[in-house]
Amino acid sequence: MSDEKVTKVIDARGSYCPGPLMKLIENVRLAKVGDVLDLLSSDSGTKKDAPNWIKKTGQELIGIYDEEGYTRIRIKKIK
Amino acid sequence: MVNKMALIVFSGTVDKLLPVGIIASGGVAMDMEVHIFLTFWGLNAFRKDSVKSNKKFSKDFEEMAPYMMNLINKKGVPSYIDTIKQAKAIGNVHVHACAMTLDLMDMKKEDLDDIVEDVMGVGEFVELAKDGMTLFI
């Protein structure tokens, strides 16, 4: 896992598609450039949707980490 | 690339309205402009006084309704109205009411949930939707 300092953890575990993606979008909008956000999600669609959204919007996907029963998606707001 | 999504929402049952909210969310997440045109039972499902209590389910899957509603409640799936509100909060989502249905059912825009922005005829909607992808639900 990357050693970037995480600014905020968005815990969307237990929420279903499109909940976690919507939470991510809201939080990225509110974040400052340079902030690193961790999205925790147990929804299988989000595992693909969130990285696609990050790519599409030109933010930086730092990593996708499989944890026990959920996925941690780390993103850096770069613009 | 198509950058506009138009949903013609004819159905008024929860099992079809939930996907409306979810597909609209996917659209705005991918930066599309989303237009939701409520007509017939779809419009009826956005009445101010019953939008929150709508538990209607497609007749085809009626025997599955209690099971599905139980899952939806247990797993905390947000209602269709809340899902559309959330989509609207993050992007370009517009909800239109079908003028003809309003007239037919003796309803006014004031009888509908505040999420409904305006009232339009089918011609105006088709004009709005013609350069996008259109789904009939």
Side-chain angles (χ1 to χ4, degrees), chain B residues 38 40-53 80-81 85 95-99 101-119:
Chain B
L38 304 173
F40 275 78
W41 313 120
L43 183 66
N44 194 51
F46 283 79
R47 281 178 189 263
K48 208 175 255 173
D49 56 1
S50 58
V51 66
K52 290 254 186 322
S53 57
Y80 60 88
I81 185 78
K85 278 184 180 156
V95 183
H96 314 285
C98 162
T101 309
L102 275 184
D103 291 345
L104 183 70
M105 295 186 177
D106 279 327
M107 286 161 71
K108 290 191 199 68
K109 186 181 173 293
E110 292 70 51
D111 300 325
L112 301 169
D113 188 275
D114 293 340
I115 201 161
V116 178
E117 278 176 30
D118 54 14
V119 177

Side-chain angles (χ1 to χ4, degrees), chain A residues 14 16-19 21-23 25-26 29 49 52-53 56-57, chain B residues 1 22 25-26 28-31 75 77 83 86-87 89-91:
Chain A
Y16 295 87
C17 165
L21 180 61
M22 296 291 117
K23 280 266 165 289
I25 296 174
E26 283 167 19
R29 287 202 179 151
D49 277 355
N52 277 343
W53 179 82
K56 186 177 164 64
T57 52
Chain B
M1 199 200 112
I22 296 168
S25 301
V28 285
M30 292 304 143
D31 217 22
K75 299 199 171 185
V77 176
T83 310
Q86 188 183 37
I90 70 146

Side-chain angles (χ1 to χ4, degrees), chain A residues 12-35:
Chain A
R13 286 175 294 179
S15 157
Y16 295 87
C17 165
L21 180 61
M22 296 291 117
K23 280 266 165 289
L24 177 68
I25 296 174
E26 283 167 19
N27 278 281
V28 170
R29 287 202 179 151
L30 294 171
K32 291 196 281 289
V33 171
D35 283 357

